Amino acid sequence: MRKFLSLSLIARLALIGLAGLLISACSSTMEGMGKDLQTMGNAMGGSQSNNPSQTKGKDVVVTPIK
């Protein structure tokens, strides 16, 4: 712990930046893998789920409740 405190500010920021890049790369990889798995499932004859939250190309009408 004492060694970490003696590091300069630039070195600390560099370490934090590297950690951020690593986390970003991992999340991008997971997102890409999910899309690939979905594409593979659709290619194998699976149908896309009818999720009401996915409103691609549809008009959404919101009716207020009194």
Side-chain angles (χ1 to χ4, degrees):
M1 187 69 178
R2 193 90 168 135
K3 178 106 174 150
F4 182 74
L5 291 175
S6 67
L7 289 175
S8 69
L9 180 63
I10 295 173
R12 284 188 221 168
L13 289 174
L15 286 173
I16 293 170
L18 285 173
L21 281 173
L22 181 67
I23 292 170
S24 174
C26 289
S27 67
S28 295
T29 302
M30 294 304 279
E31 183 181 352
M33 277 177 32
K35 287 179 181 176
D36 289 344
L37 287 172
Q38 185 178 13
T39 304
M40 236 178 5
N42 288 339
M44 288 168 54
S47 63
Q48 202 169 11
S49 65
N50 191 7
N51 189 349
S53 68
Q54 294 176 346
T55 55
K56 258 190 235 174
K58 297 177 185 148
D59 291 333
V60 179
V61 180
V62 177
T63 308
I65 300 173
K66 293 183 182 179

